[in-house]
Amino acid sequence: MSCRVTQPTLQGMTHIPPPAEELRLLDAELWQLDARRAQLLARRAWLVAALQPKWQAPQPTGPTPAAPHRPEASAPSVQNVLLVLGGVLLTVAAMVFTLVSWGHLGITGRALVLGAVTAATLTAPLPLLRRGLRSTAESVAGLGLALTVLDAAALHGAVFLESPGAPYTAVASALLAGLWAAYGLLPRVSELRLPRPAALVAGQLPLFFWAIAADAGSYGLTAALLVTAGLDTVVALRMTSGSLRVVAAIGAYGVGAWGVLAAGWLTWTASGPSAAARAAALLLLASAIALAAAWRAARTVVREADGAGRGAEVNGQALGLAVASGLLAVGALGGAARSVLPELWTVPAHLAFGVALLAVLRLHRLPDAVRRGLVRASAAVQALALMWALPVVGVVVLGPLAWAFRAWTGTPSDARTAVTVNTTWPPHAEAVPLVLAVVAGVLVLAVRDTAWRPRALAAAPGLAWATVLTLPAVLELPYFAGLLIEGAATAGAVAAAVLLRQRLLPLILALGTSASLAFLALASQTATLAVLGVLVALFTAASWRLAPFTAPTALGYGTALVVAIGAAADWSPPHTALLVLVVPAIAAVLAWRLDDPKATVPVEAAGAAAGVLAVALAATDLPLLATVLALCGVIAAGTAIRADRRPVGYAAAALFVLATWVRLAAWDMSAPEAYTLPVTIPALLVGALRHRRDPRTSSWTAYAPGLAATLVPSLFAAWGDSHWTRPLLLGLAALLVTLAGARRHLQAPLLLGGAVLLLDALHELAPYIVQVTDALPRWVPPALAGLLLLALGATYEHRLRDARRMRDALTKMR
């Protein structure tokens, strides 16, 4: 810009704001920034002080000194170990003195030694506690308690020698328990934690040994154990001391478990109503103890406020005790009922008492944990009853499978005989339908919880189905009545699958029942034809809603019906195969007409399985096998008409070629080329024309059918020909085909011609290979195999590269 323009322009410019005002604004902004920086630095200093120690010693700049040796055991641990070892050694010494040196003293000396040592040992904790040596006082107190036990044993050996062991042990343990409890309540000694738990341990023995002394028998001993467990439960629930509660809980669970096992054994082995009633009373006592403990624990959860963890632990204990109480009550009442009822009603009686436990659902005053525990006990009883009934259901459902190997051998006398062809009927199974029906009713009527209600309603139909299914065998109804009932159960399951929203379980039941019914009907020819016909009609009718499942099932039973019709008409299996082909034809039509795409593949798979069965039935008759293969090819060709099933045309071509080969083999042709060449030449011409019009056509589609029609039968004929003319001509033809495929880069002629050429050459070299093999020593083949493996391993990478090149070359061919 020139000076003439710049000077007038600069003179005319105006500062907005003026310089003085702008300077004032800049100073104000800088002041605010300084104030904010000071505030942030103060905050940073506070955070650093909060995250680090107040003062740190200056770090040395020299080498870091070695860390001091850290002791492996802390001082309290060493102290406790020394005190325990000292107490144990003193106790051992006292035992040795009592056992060895006791006899050298008189009665006065013995009393003085016992009194002096025991009194001194029990008094010693007092001065130790005053000096603050609590751990040492605990060790000395433990030694004193052990000395009292030794004193009791020594007194029995010296003074009360003629007293029986059981009464003396009962009295001595009771006195020791009282002595230790009183000792633990003394003013200064109450600070010790050992005497009162030790008194509780000693208190486990008096009742049991009193029962032994009184010759109370097994019932009295069991009652003594359960009463002791009950007292332990009271102590565990009432005491506030943690050590007492732990020891009492261990005693309650341990002694109570022995008592419950003994009472259960007495219930199981009770020989009459009186013995069973006494054993049931013992089990009810154990149940009452567990229920009271559960009730108190559940109330404790409501009152306590020391944290959710403690509440959850106590709540779990209450739940477990309630479950145990319910199971013990059911075992007691069921055991008493078993002694007066026939053995048949043992499980129903226990089930009835288990269902009666559900009455607690109406007792809203019970704690929630107790109520849930009793309900779970009822569920456990019902589950055990179902497990008892399961073998009978298994025999009814799976037993008819044995008729597959004894078809049409004779109608059974009744339904039970029909399902126990190769199995035995479980004992006392007459109550199984009642058990299944009761549990199904409980699931429908008693389960009201929103989370479990859908599951119960889903399981109840299965139990009702099992009830109906077991009735004919349990009641020994006639064979045909059993078929009718099982058929009705199948129809009901199918109807439920069609009408209900939850279709999975009814559908599974329908399929399983129909299979069992089909096998059960194999006992009689008439029943087989009738049942299979009804099943075909039933599943066909249900296909309008459940086609992906019922349509293939109907086709499967239709196949079985066709085979049964052929057997009833005394047709041979190859002739029956022609009738079986009706099923694949129907399947092909259904797959074309069905609107549900999900049902297309299952229907086609069922039809293909029926076709394979037809081929297997006709395998023994070559002319009929050729016919069956040709008809299968016709069905496959009809399926290939559909736009989405074009690849099935390859299967149709293969079936037609197979039918041709089988027909030639059936005619025992010595010159199959006379029949195959008239087919091969037009086929190759048609393939060449198609390949010319559409170069993208695969050589397998254009040339493979025509080439295989002649090469494969000729190869089989050459392998059975002892002359050299046919193998030579076949080898030349295969060589020409191979060269043509290599020249035109066509995969099918190259591979088919090469394979036939290789097999033809092996046929010609086979006699010489056998002669050479016989002439070689036995170690030569393994040695050659080893060398071959070494050579292959040495050139593995090179071969892989060549193989990749060959694969790429073949892939590029058409």
Side-chain angles (χ1 to χ4, degrees):
M1 184 179 293
S2 64
C3 296
R4 291 178 301 177
V5 178
T6 304
Q7 186 67 25
T9 304
L10 293 176
Q11 290 178 358
M13 290 179 65
T14 304
H15 293 283
I16 301 174
E21 181 66 19
E22 185 176 0
L23 179 61
R24 187 185 65 79
L25 292 175
L26 290 176
D27 290 339
E29 289 290 338
L30 291 173
W31 182 85
Q32 290 179 1
L33 290 175
D34 291 339
R36 180 59 178 167
R37 185 174 185 275
Q39 182 182 1
L40 293 176
L41 288 174
R43 179 62 178 173
R44 181 183 181 279
W46 183 87
L47 291 174
V48 170
L51 294 175
Q52 295 182 355
K54 297 292 184 181
W55 175 84
Q56 293 182 353
Q59 300 295 327
T61 58
T64 304
H69 176 69
R70 184 178 180 181
E72 296 182 357
S74 61
S77 300
V78 175
Q79 166 193 303
N80 294 333
V81 170
L82 293 177
L83 291 176
V84 171
L85 287 176
V88 171
L89 291 176
L90 288 175
T91 303
V92 172
M95 293 175 63
V96 173
F97 173 79
T98 304
L99 296 175
V100 177
S101 303
W102 181 255
H104 300 289
L105 300 175
I107 296 177
T108 304
R110 298 171 186 175
L112 290 175
V113 170
L114 285 172
V117 174
T118 304
T121 306
L122 293 176
T123 307
L126 297 175
L128 294 174
L129 289 172
R130 281 195 296 269
R131 295 190 177 187
L133 302 176
R134 182 170 178 174
S135 298
T136 307
E138 292 280 1
S139 299
V140 175
L143 175 60
L145 299 180
L147 287 175
T148 56
V149 178
L150 294 176
D151 293 343
L155 286 175
H156 180 265
V159 181
F160 303 103
L161 185 60
E162 297 181 357
S163 176
Y168 183 82
T169 303
V171 174
S173 59
L175 292 177
L176 287 175
L179 175 64
W180 293 350
Y183 178 71
L185 294 175
L186 293 177
R188 292 290 299 178
V189 183
S190 60
E191 300 178 10
L192 299 176
R193 292 176 294 181
L194 185 59
R196 284 179 292 174
L200 189 58
V201 173
Q204 309 299 312
L205 302 178
L207 288 178
F208 183 74
F209 282 97
W210 269 118
I212 295 177
D215 197 13
S218 55
Y219 292 93
L221 293 175
T222 306
L225 291 174
L226 292 175
V227 171
T228 303
L231 296 176
D232 290 334
T233 303
V234 173
V235 173
L237 295 175
R238 302 289 296 181
M239 291 297 173
T240 58
S241 174
S243 58
L244 279 178
R245 293 175 66 177
V246 171
V247 174
I250 294 174
Y253 282 113
V255 179
W258 281 109
V260 168
L261 291 176
W265 177 254
L266 292 175
T267 302
W268 182 260
T269 59
S271 58
S274 177
R278 285 181 290 169
L282 294 174
L283 283 178
L284 288 176
L285 174 60
S287 174
I289 294 172
L291 182 61
W295 195 313
R296 180 59 183 265
R299 292 294 179 87
T300 303
V301 173
V302 177
R303 292 196 303 266
E304 283 186 350
D306 57 346
R310 171 65 179 166
E313 178 183 357
V314 177
N315 195 23
Q317 294 176 359
L319 184 65
L321 289 171
V323 172
S325 174
L327 293 177
L328 290 173
V330 171
L333 299 176
R338 185 174 66 90
S339 63
V340 297
L341 293 176
E343 192 172 359
L344 170 67
W345 298 101
T346 299
V347 175
H350 285 80
L351 178 61
F353 292 119
V355 173
L357 287 177
L358 295 177
V360 300
L361 292 174
R362 299 184 178 275
L363 301 178
H364 300 289
R365 297 184 61 184
L366 282 177
D368 182 63
V370 176
R371 188 186 303 112
R372 288 190 291 113
L374 293 176
V375 170
R376 291 189 182 185
S378 174
V381 173
Q382 296 178 55
L384 292 174
L386 289 180
M387 291 179 63
W388 171 80
L390 188 60
V392 178
V393 179
V395 169
V396 171
V397 175
L398 301 178
L401 296 178
W403 286 107
F405 306 98
R406 304 177 60 181
W408 299 355
T409 56
T411 303
S413 59
D414 53 60
R416 183 180 297 184
T417 306
V419 299
T420 55
V421 180
N422 291 334
T423 58
T424 57
W425 185 251
H428 312 296
E430 289 76 9
V432 167
L434 176 62
V435 170
L436 296 172
V438 168
V439 177
V442 169
L443 291 177
V444 173
L445 301 176
V447 180
R448 298 296 179 184
D449 185 77
T450 55
W452 288 95
R453 179 71 175 172
R455 304 175 188 177
L457 293 179
L463 295 177
W465 164 82
T467 303
V468 174
L469 215 61
T470 55
L471 274 175
V474 169
L475 300 178
E476 297 185 273
L477 297 179
Y479 169 70
F480 289 102
L483 288 179
L484 290 176
I485 293 175
E486 197 161 346
T490 304
V494 172
V498 171
L499 300 176
L500 298 179
R501 293 183 179 180
Q502 299 293 336
R503 298 175 177 176
L504 180 59
L505 180 61
L507 187 60
I508 294 175
L509 297 180
L511 296 177
T513 312
S514 63
S516 177
L517 176 62
F519 281 103
L520 187 63
L522 290 177
S524 170
Q525 177 178 322
T526 305
T528 301
L529 298 175
V531 167
L532 290 177
V534 171
L535 290 178
V536 171
L538 178 64
F539 284 98
T540 301
S543 297
W544 67 281
R545 290 290 299 273
L546 301 171
F549 304 98
T550 55
T553 306
L555 290 173
Y557 287 127
T559 304
L561 177 61
V562 169
V563 174
I565 291 174
D570 290 331
W571 289 3
S572 64
H575 288 86
T576 305
L578 296 174
L579 189 60
V580 172
L581 289 177
V582 175
V583 177
I586 295 175
V589 175
L590 283 177
W592 176 41
R593 300 292 297 175
L594 283 176
D595 297 331
D596 190 357
K598 296 180 180 179
T600 302
V601 174
V603 167
E604 290 176 344
V612 172
L613 177 62
V615 172
L617 292 174
T620 57
D621 192 332
L622 292 181
L624 285 178
L625 177 60
T627 304
V628 169
L629 289 172
L631 292 176
C632 289
V634 171
I635 297 172
T639 304
I641 296 176
R642 295 162 49 193
D644 57 339
R645 290 294 184 267
R646 296 298 188 197
V648 183
Y650 297 107
L655 289 170
F656 284 132
V657 172
L658 284 175
T660 304
W661 295 345
V662 172
R663 174 58 64 182
L664 293 176
W667 286 341
D668 196 14
M669 288 289 105
S670 60
E673 293 81 6
Y675 299 91
T676 58
L677 285 175
V679 177
T680 295
I681 294 174
L684 292 177
L685 292 176
V686 171
L689 181 61
R690 180 179 179 182
H691 191 268
R692 183 177 180 180
R693 291 183 176 179
D694 186 6
R696 294 175 300 177
T697 304
S698 172
S699 61
W700 292 100
T701 304
Y703 302 110
L707 292 174
T710 296
L711 291 178
V712 176
S714 298
L715 180 63
F716 279 102
W719 272 77
D721 194 346
S722 59
H723 302 285
W724 59 271
T725 307
R726 185 190 301 276
L728 177 60
L729 295 176
L730 177 61
L732 292 175
L735 178 60
L736 292 176
V737 171
T738 305
L739 294 176
R743 178 178 178 82
R744 302 299 299 271
H745 297 279
L746 298 175
Q747 194 178 81
L750 178 64
L751 296 182
L752 283 176
V756 172
L757 180 61
L758 177 62
L759 293 175
D760 186 64
L762 287 177
H763 170 263
E764 294 302 310
L765 293 176
Y768 303 101
I769 294 175
V770 172
Q771 292 177 4
V772 172
T773 304
D774 293 337
L776 289 176
R778 293 186 178 182
W779 59 269
V780 173
L784 293 176
L787 291 175
L788 177 62
L789 292 176
L790 289 176
L792 289 176
T795 59
Y796 186 71
E797 184 177 1
H798 181 68
R799 300 305 181 189
L800 285 178
R801 185 170 64 249
D802 293 343
R804 293 191 189 98
R805 292 176 180 175
M806 179 62 71
R807 182 193 61 188
D808 296 337
L810 291 175
T811 304
K812 294 178 181 178
M813 294 182 180
R814 290 166 293 177

